[in-house]
Amino acid sequence: MKQNKIFRIAILIAAFGFMSTLQSCTKALQGLKFNLGLQTQSVSVDVPVTPAGSIAIGPLTSTYNLDSFIKAQTGNQLGVSNISSVKLVSVVITINNPDANNNFANFQSVNASFYSNTNSTPYAISLTNNPNTYATSLSLPVNSNDELKGYFGTQYTYNISGDLRSPITTILHCTVQYSYNLIVQG
Protein backbone atom coordinates (compact mmCIF):
# COMPACT_ATOMS: atom_id res chain seq x y z
CA MET A 1 0.00 0.00 0.00
CA LYS A 2 2.84 2.36 0.90
CA GLN A 3 4.62 1.47 -2.38
CA ASN A 4 1.43 2.20 -4.34
CA LYS A 5 1.20 5.65 -2.75
CA ILE A 6 4.88 6.38 -3.54
CA PHE A 7 4.32 5.19 -7.14
CA ARG A 8 1.33 7.56 -7.54
CA ILE A 9 3.32 10.48 -6.16
CA ALA A 10 6.18 9.68 -8.56
CA ILE A 11 3.74 9.62 -11.51
CA LEU A 12 2.25 12.98 -10.46
CA ILE A 13 5.71 14.53 -10.20
CA ALA A 14 6.68 13.14 -13.61
CA ALA A 15 3.42 14.43 -15.16
CA PHE A 16 3.95 17.85 -13.62
CA GLY A 17 7.52 17.93 -14.96
CA PHE A 18 6.32 16.91 -18.41
CA MET A 19 3.64 19.64 -18.42
CA SER A 20 6.25 22.21 -17.38
CA THR A 21 8.38 21.16 -20.33
CA LEU A 22 5.46 21.70 -22.73
CA GLN A 23 4.89 25.19 -21.39
CA SER A 24 8.61 25.92 -21.90
CA CYS A 25 8.33 24.82 -25.56
CA THR A 26 5.35 27.11 -26.07
CA LYS A 27 7.25 30.00 -24.49
CA ALA A 28 10.28 29.23 -26.68
CA LEU A 29 8.08 29.39 -29.80
CA GLN A 30 6.72 32.74 -28.64
CA GLY A 31 10.27 34.06 -28.55
CA LEU A 32 11.13 33.03 -32.11
CA LYS A 33 11.60 35.93 -34.50
CA PHE A 34 12.81 35.64 -38.08
CA ASN A 35 13.74 38.43 -40.46
CA LEU A 36 13.29 36.83 -43.89
CA GLY A 37 14.24 38.23 -47.27
CA LEU A 38 11.44 37.39 -49.68
CA GLN A 39 11.40 37.57 -53.46
CA THR A 40 8.09 36.54 -54.91
CA GLN A 41 8.19 34.85 -58.25
CA SER A 42 9.18 37.07 -61.17
CA VAL A 43 6.37 38.44 -63.30
CA SER A 44 6.90 38.31 -67.07
CA VAL A 45 5.60 41.31 -68.99
CA ASP A 46 5.60 41.93 -72.74
CA VAL A 47 5.55 45.60 -73.71
CA PRO A 48 3.97 45.79 -77.19
CA VAL A 49 5.07 47.94 -80.10
CA THR A 50 3.64 51.33 -79.12
CA PRO A 51 3.80 54.86 -80.55
CA ALA A 52 4.75 57.65 -78.13
CA GLY A 53 2.03 58.28 -75.54
CA SER A 54 0.75 56.28 -72.61
CA ILE A 55 0.98 52.54 -72.19
CA ALA A 56 -0.77 50.18 -69.75
CA ILE A 57 -0.11 46.47 -69.29
CA GLY A 58 -2.09 44.18 -67.06
CA PRO A 59 -3.66 42.89 -65.06
CA LEU A 60 -1.20 40.01 -64.70
CA THR A 61 -2.05 37.47 -62.02
CA SER A 62 0.19 35.02 -60.19
CA THR A 63 0.04 32.87 -57.08
CA TYR A 64 2.60 32.42 -54.33
CA ASN A 65 2.37 30.12 -51.33
CA LEU A 66 3.75 32.37 -48.60
CA ASP A 67 2.85 29.89 -45.85
CA SER A 68 5.09 27.23 -47.42
CA PHE A 69 7.93 29.74 -47.79
CA ILE A 70 7.72 30.73 -44.10
CA LYS A 71 7.52 27.12 -42.93
CA ALA A 72 10.55 26.19 -45.04
CA GLN A 73 12.54 29.09 -43.57
CA THR A 74 11.54 28.39 -39.94
CA GLY A 75 11.78 24.59 -39.77
CA ASN A 76 7.97 24.27 -39.90
CA GLN A 77 7.72 26.21 -36.62
CA LEU A 78 5.91 29.30 -37.95
CA GLY A 79 3.53 30.10 -40.80
CA VAL A 80 1.60 32.88 -42.48
CA SER A 81 -0.39 33.57 -39.30
CA ASN A 82 2.89 34.58 -37.61
CA ILE A 83 3.65 37.49 -39.96
CA SER A 84 4.22 40.63 -37.92
CA SER A 85 5.54 42.94 -40.65
CA VAL A 86 6.12 43.12 -44.42
CA LYS A 87 8.06 45.99 -45.98
CA LEU A 88 8.88 46.50 -49.66
CA VAL A 89 12.63 46.55 -50.33
CA SER A 90 12.78 46.88 -54.12
CA VAL A 91 10.91 46.72 -57.40
CA VAL A 92 13.18 46.03 -60.37
CA ILE A 93 12.04 45.86 -63.98
CA THR A 94 14.48 44.31 -66.45
CA ILE A 95 14.24 44.32 -70.24
CA ASN A 96 15.46 40.93 -71.44
CA ASN A 97 15.87 41.91 -75.13
CA PRO A 98 16.94 45.58 -75.26
CA ASP A 99 18.52 47.33 -78.22
CA ALA A 100 19.80 50.85 -78.86
CA ASN A 101 16.33 52.13 -79.84
CA ASN A 102 14.20 50.09 -77.41
CA ASN A 103 15.15 50.32 -73.76
CA PHE A 104 14.17 52.34 -70.68
CA ALA A 105 15.28 55.59 -72.36
CA ASN A 106 11.97 55.30 -74.25
CA PHE A 107 10.05 55.82 -70.98
CA GLN A 108 9.44 59.23 -69.42
CA SER A 109 7.68 57.63 -66.42
CA VAL A 110 6.95 54.13 -65.14
CA ASN A 111 4.32 52.98 -62.66
CA ALA A 112 3.87 49.57 -61.08
CA SER A 113 1.08 48.43 -58.80
CA PHE A 114 -0.16 45.26 -57.18
CA TYR A 115 -3.05 44.04 -55.09
CA SER A 116 -4.00 40.66 -53.70
CA ASN A 117 -6.89 38.45 -52.74
CA THR A 118 -6.62 39.92 -49.22
CA ASN A 119 -6.47 43.62 -50.17
CA SER A 120 -8.01 44.86 -53.42
CA THR A 121 -6.70 48.43 -53.11
CA PRO A 122 -3.71 48.73 -55.46
CA TYR A 123 -0.37 49.58 -53.86
CA ALA A 124 1.45 51.82 -56.37
CA ILE A 125 5.09 52.67 -56.97
CA SER A 126 6.09 55.38 -59.48
CA LEU A 127 9.15 56.80 -61.15
CA THR A 128 8.04 60.14 -62.60
CA ASN A 129 11.24 61.48 -64.21
CA ASN A 130 13.08 58.58 -65.78
CA PRO A 131 16.36 59.76 -67.36
CA ASN A 132 16.68 59.79 -71.14
CA THR A 133 19.65 57.39 -71.10
CA TYR A 134 20.12 53.83 -72.30
CA ALA A 135 19.18 51.36 -69.54
CA THR A 136 18.15 47.71 -69.46
CA SER A 137 17.12 47.66 -65.81
CA LEU A 138 15.06 50.08 -63.80
CA SER A 139 14.69 50.24 -60.00
CA LEU A 140 11.54 52.02 -58.93
CA PRO A 141 11.78 54.12 -55.76
CA VAL A 142 10.06 52.39 -52.83
CA ASN A 143 8.94 53.57 -49.43
CA SER A 144 10.46 50.97 -47.12
CA ASN A 145 8.37 52.29 -44.21
CA ASP A 146 4.99 51.30 -45.68
CA GLU A 147 3.49 48.31 -43.89
CA LEU A 148 2.22 45.80 -46.48
CA LYS A 149 1.27 42.92 -44.19
CA GLY A 150 -2.39 43.22 -45.21
CA TYR A 151 -1.53 42.57 -48.87
CA PHE A 152 -0.17 39.08 -48.37
CA GLY A 153 -2.47 36.27 -49.38
CA THR A 154 -2.12 33.66 -52.11
CA GLN A 155 -3.02 35.46 -55.34
CA TYR A 156 -1.42 38.70 -56.59
CA THR A 157 -2.40 40.96 -59.48
CA TYR A 158 0.12 43.29 -61.11
CA ASN A 159 -0.23 46.28 -63.44
CA ILE A 160 2.48 48.25 -65.23
CA SER A 161 1.97 51.60 -66.96
CA GLY A 162 3.91 54.61 -68.08
CA ASP A 163 4.37 57.49 -70.47
CA LEU A 164 6.66 57.09 -73.46
CA ARG A 165 9.01 59.81 -74.71
CA SER A 166 9.71 57.83 -77.89
CA PRO A 167 7.99 54.92 -79.66
CA ILE A 168 8.72 51.29 -78.88
CA THR A 169 9.39 49.58 -82.21
CA THR A 170 9.78 45.97 -81.05
CA ILE A 171 8.11 43.86 -78.37
CA LEU A 172 10.08 44.20 -75.14
CA HIS A 173 10.18 41.05 -73.00
CA CYS A 174 10.50 42.21 -69.39
CA THR A 175 10.74 40.71 -65.94
CA VAL A 176 9.41 42.44 -62.83
CA GLN A 177 10.81 41.38 -59.45
CA TYR A 178 9.40 42.48 -56.10
CA SER A 179 11.56 41.98 -52.97
CA TYR A 180 10.33 42.28 -49.38
CA ASN A 181 11.58 42.20 -45.82
CA LEU A 182 9.29 39.80 -43.96
CA ILE A 183 9.27 39.48 -40.18
CA VAL A 184 7.59 36.48 -38.56
CA GLN A 185 7.50 35.69 -34.88
CA GLY A 186 5.92 33.14 -32.61
Side-chain angles (χ1 to χ4, degrees):
M1 179 93 149
K2 202 174 197 184
Q3 283 182 333
N4 198 12
K5 193 173 191 181
I6 292 172
F7 181 70
R8 286 183 184 174
I9 290 172
I11 288 180
L12 284 174
I13 290 171
F16 179 74
F18 179 72
M19 295 301 277
S20 296
T21 303
L22 288 179
Q23 288 179 345
S24 295
C25 289
T26 302
K27 287 181 182 177
L29 279 178
Q30 289 174 351
L32 288 179
K33 182 176 181 180
F34 293 86
N35 189 344
L36 307 174
L38 169 67
Q39 277 191 329
T40 56
Q41 64 190 29
S42 297
V43 178
S44 296
V45 176
D46 284 340
V47 179
V49 172
T50 307
S54 294
I55 187 168
I57 303 163
L60 306 164
T61 303
S62 71
T63 58
Y64 189 81
N65 190 333
L66 187 58
D67 193 54
S68 290
F69 169 79
I70 294 169
K71 286 180 179 178
Q73 300 299 310
T74 64
N76 286 322
Q77 297 299 308
L78 303 174
V80 73
S81 64
N82 299 103
I83 295 173
S84 63
S85 178
V86 179
K87 305 286 176 105
L88 186 61
V89 174
S90 67
V91 177
V92 178
I93 306 171
T94 304
I95 299 174
N96 301 317
N97 63 328
D99 63 42
N101 297 314
N102 295 282
N103 58 76
F104 280 116
N106 298 67
F107 290 83
Q108 176 65 39
S109 65
V110 178
N111 309 295
S113 68
F114 73 92
Y115 60 91
S116 71
N117 60 306
T118 60
N119 188 337
S120 61
T121 303
Y123 180 80
I125 307 104
S126 298
L127 176 63
T128 56
N129 292 309
N130 187 45
N132 188 9
T133 57
Y134 178 88
T136 63
S137 182
L138 190 62
S139 292
L140 300 181
V142 299
N143 183 343
S144 60
N145 294 319
D146 287 351
E147 180 57 60
L148 302 177
K149 175 183 171 183
Y151 280 92
F152 279 80
T154 56
Q155 187 173 28
Y156 305 91
T157 303
Y158 301 92
N159 289 288
I160 307 289
S161 64
D163 293 318
L164 299 175
R165 69 168 51 93
S166 59
I168 296 174
T169 59
T170 187
I171 295 172
L172 297 177
H173 303 291
C174 302
T175 304
V176 183
Q177 183 66 61
Y178 285 79
S179 298
Y180 303 90
N181 185 30
L182 175 70
I183 297 176
V184 293
Q185 60 188 55

